[in-house]
Amino acid sequence: MSPTSARRTRRARRARRGPAVVAAALAVTASLLAACSPPPATGIAGAGREGSGASELPECPLDALDQVDGKIKVQLWYGGIVMPTSGVLLDLVEKFNASQDKIEVVPADQGVDYDETLRAFDKVVSTPAKLPNIIYLEDIQLGKMIDSNAVLPAESCMLASGYDKRQILASARAGFSADGVLYPGYMNVSSPVIYYNKVHFEKAGLDPDVAPKTLDEVAEFSRKIKDAGVAPKPFAFKADQWFVNTWLAGAGYDVFDNQNGRLKAATKANLTGDVPVGLLEELKAINDEGLMNPFPVTAGNIDHYLALVTGQSSMVLETSTASSTIASVLGGDIDASDASEAGIDIGGFDLDKIGVVPASGQFPGLSLPGQIYASGGAFYMLNGGGTGGEAGKARMAASWKFLEFMLRPENAKEWYVTGGYLPVVKKVAEDPDAQAFGRTTLQGILIRPSLEQMQGADPDRVSPLIGPFHDYQQDLQAAMEAVLLNGADPARALAKAEQQVNGALSRYAGD
């Protein structure tokens, strides 16, 4: 960790944890999580989705760096990350710039929401000279970025520089590839996990060191907690399409044709099959029994977290990147001395005085735990670097040099131990510092189930890859909210969503 990053971390740890701070810290985490038309023409030679895979990759002009005199500036746009995660990026930029005198990376924060960076990209994508050289976007934008033809696939530069992409975790490669081609040069990977309150488990007679492994067990545990009078609605659930997509992928169910849009552009959705309908029926049954505390997906909504803080709920599904906030806010002043290999030793606490002792477990699947895919954000190189000619080629080569720098294990480690993202470079997990982080800090213990499930994830089970993902996201979440908040019939709600998504696909294709 750099001195700058260390200072930021110390300041964060010194923050007082009153109710206002709890709400503020949770609002920061919420900001992390956080109309369809055909993709615009860019005028840039890029790599689209309907090529021939790795056999016809565009050239990565590494030699262009040697043809340009003077310092090359690389514009980096990012957004959707806040402290301490954004501090990791800025520290790595500073470290890279200081490591050599040929390239200067210039970071530009586009806002606290991923969508702000996407809107900035949309405004200039048809004017290549205004594009940045590297852009950081949410994982759901992979399809749109490929279809824009503005991306130079990182795999081109990996092949040109001799970087073996097998150094990257297989599930991470699969999540950010299409037709066998890896597009971003670095990925900040996360996955959903279940966080729970060990105090509530102990009071309800449940083993506080064992998380529910399936959705059925979530219902079973919730029933015991409710029957014991510990929490009125034990399962806090944000109606986020991410969880449904994760359940469906874990079950091997493709929501879209053409291998979920991974082989070539999807043309139709299938949200009315037995698996998605059965899943929403099960969620509805849990809610109808009074075991669920459902919440809509709205910007800045932290009610699902507050449900655990106030004791209204005992469990919540959320991203692994929330581990730092869960540790600092829900964990109070618990430190590493209270931790064991399995988690926090609840036996040392007075249950009448301690309200929340946080723990986590692998994502509870439909049949098995930990059936997830790689989510998060990714850094893309934009083909042409905003200008043509030798200068543009040099900026592409310089962009790869920075991303290659981040792929070094000692740098990728910072995204894990400080930024809260999972280590996508395999060697990071073997690093003594990283292992100590996962064993002796509360944040590391909370994130460990996510790391374990990502390491064992099936790379053939991935998320949908479509251009109009925002439309799909909104339509599926509307169906979920209609079922869980308004009591709608799952089959009818999903049929409506399917019709709307198919319309979005058609408009996106220009039909």
Side-chain angles (χ1 to χ4, degrees):
M1 184 187 304
S2 72
T4 303
S5 181
R7 287 193 297 270
R8 291 172 181 141
T9 301
R10 287 195 294 269
R11 284 197 297 268
R13 287 174 178 166
R14 286 197 296 264
R16 297 177 60 191
R17 297 188 180 99
V21 175
V22 170
L26 293 178
V28 167
T29 296
S31 71
L32 276 168
L33 305 175
C36 175
S37 60
T42 64
I44 300 174
R49 195 179 332 186
E50 312 249 354
S52 300
S55 63
E56 294 188 7
L57 285 171
E59 176 191 6
C60 177
L62 291 184
D63 294 341
L65 274 176
D66 300 327
Q67 310 304 317
V68 177
D69 295 327
K71 183 166 287 190
I72 300 168
K73 289 192 175 183
V74 171
Q75 299 292 327
L76 165 62
W77 285 4
Y78 70 97
I81 55 175
V82 292
M83 288 295 295
T85 311
S86 59
V88 174
L89 176 59
L90 297 178
D91 285 345
L92 288 174
V93 167
E94 181 181 340
K95 182 179 177 182
F96 173 77
N97 289 342
S99 71
Q100 43 72 53
D101 57 9
K102 184 70 174 180
I103 304 165
E104 180 185 0
V105 176
V106 181
D109 190 350
Q110 304 301 309
V112 297
D113 192 300
Y114 280 120
D115 288 346
E116 292 183 63
T117 309
L118 181 64
R119 286 192 290 270
F121 171 82
D122 286 339
K123 287 180 181 178
V124 299
V125 66
S126 59
T127 310
K130 296 182 179 180
L131 283 169
N133 311 109
I134 303 174
I135 191 167
Y136 178 72
L137 292 168
E138 193 175 7
D139 63 293
I140 64 172
Q141 299 305 333
L142 175 60
K144 181 171 183 175
M145 293 306 293
I146 294 173
D147 295 338
S148 73
N149 288 317
V151 175
L152 172 66
E155 185 153 344
S156 293
C157 294
M158 290 178 177
L159 290 171
S161 63
Y163 182 85
D164 186 353
K165 71 175 183 178
R166 290 175 296 181
Q167 296 181 58
I168 300 172
L169 204 62
S171 54
R173 297 198 312 266
F176 291 90
S177 295
D179 196 16
V181 174
L182 179 61
Y183 281 84
Y186 192 87
M187 301 82 80
N188 279 339
V189 169
S190 60
S191 69
V193 293
I194 188 164
Y195 296 100
Y196 65 96
N197 184 354
K198 283 193 169 190
V199 174
H200 283 197
F201 274 41
E202 179 84 359
K203 288 183 175 180
L206 295 166
D207 187 336
D209 291 324
V210 178
K213 296 179 174 60
T214 64
L215 185 57
D216 284 341
E217 285 195 0
V218 169
E220 178 187 339
F221 283 29
S222 297
R223 197 171 293 115
K224 290 181 178 179
I225 292 169
K226 184 179 178 68
D227 289 347
V230 176
K233 293 185 175 183
F235 180 35
F237 182 71
K238 182 175 62 173
D240 194 324
Q241 53 79 30
W242 185 33
F243 304 132
V244 166
N245 278 315
T246 302
W247 276 313
L248 295 179
Y253 185 90
D254 285 353
V255 177
F256 296 92
D257 61 353
N258 296 327
Q259 296 181 14
N260 241 0
R262 295 277 169 170
L263 182 60
K264 58 182 181 178
T267 63
K268 62 180 179 180
N270 182 13
L271 283 169
T272 53
D274 291 342
V275 178
V277 172
L279 170 58
L280 251 64
E281 288 176 343
E282 184 171 2
L283 291 172
K284 185 176 186 299
I286 295 172
N287 188 39
D288 288 348
E289 193 177 340
L291 304 176
M292 180 186 290
N293 202 354
F295 298 98
V297 178
T298 56
N301 188 346
I302 60 172
D303 289 346
H304 57 304
Y305 286 113
L306 294 177
L308 265 69
V309 174
T310 61
Q312 294 296 303
S313 299
S314 311
M315 298 174 278
V316 66
L317 297 180
E318 251 304 351
T319 174
S320 56
T321 57
S323 60
S324 60
T325 297
I326 297 290
S328 63
V329 177
L330 301 187
D333 291 323
I334 300 168
D335 58 28
S337 65
D338 300 311
S340 68
E341 288 292 332
I344 302 301
D345 181 9
I346 197 170
F349 295 100
D350 185 342
L351 298 184
D352 293 328
K353 296 181 180 179
I354 299 295
V356 181
V357 176
S360 63
Q362 294 191 11
F363 183 74
L366 297 184
S367 59
L368 294 170
Q371 295 183 313
I372 51 84
Y373 56 79
S375 303
F379 293 87
Y380 298 93
M381 294 180 290
L382 298 188
N383 200 336
T387 61
E390 292 304 314
K393 291 180 179 179
R395 288 190 179 93
M396 283 192 284
S399 297
W400 164 245
K401 289 295 184 182
F402 173 66
L403 296 176
E404 187 179 33
F405 175 83
M406 285 211 296
L407 284 167
R408 294 179 187 175
E410 67 271 20
N411 296 325
K413 179 176 68 175
E414 290 303 312
W415 284 115
Y416 176 46
V417 300
T418 305
Y421 283 102
L422 301 176
V424 296
V425 179
K426 294 177 182 178
K427 286 187 178 180
V428 172
E430 303 168 5
D431 183 271
D433 292 340
Q435 291 181 346
F437 168 75
R439 187 177 61 251
T440 63
T441 69
L442 180 54
Q443 180 185 350
I445 291 168
L446 291 174
I447 205 173
R448 192 168 61 200
S450 182
L451 172 59
E452 292 170 350
Q453 67 187 8
M454 189 64 69
Q455 290 173 327
D458 184 348
D460 291 331
R461 298 186 178 185
V462 291
S463 68
L465 195 161
I466 60 170
F469 203 108
H470 266 307
D471 297 77
Y472 166 60
Q473 183 180 54
Q474 292 169 1
D475 293 334
L476 178 54
Q477 285 178 182
M480 295 170 65
E481 291 175 3
V483 170
L484 298 177
L485 301 178
N486 300 318
D489 176 71
R492 291 182 180 177
L494 286 172
K496 179 181 178 181
E498 179 180 285
Q499 183 180 25
Q500 292 172 326
V501 172
N502 283 334
L505 287 172
S506 180
R507 292 191 299 274
Y508 185 82
D511 296 342

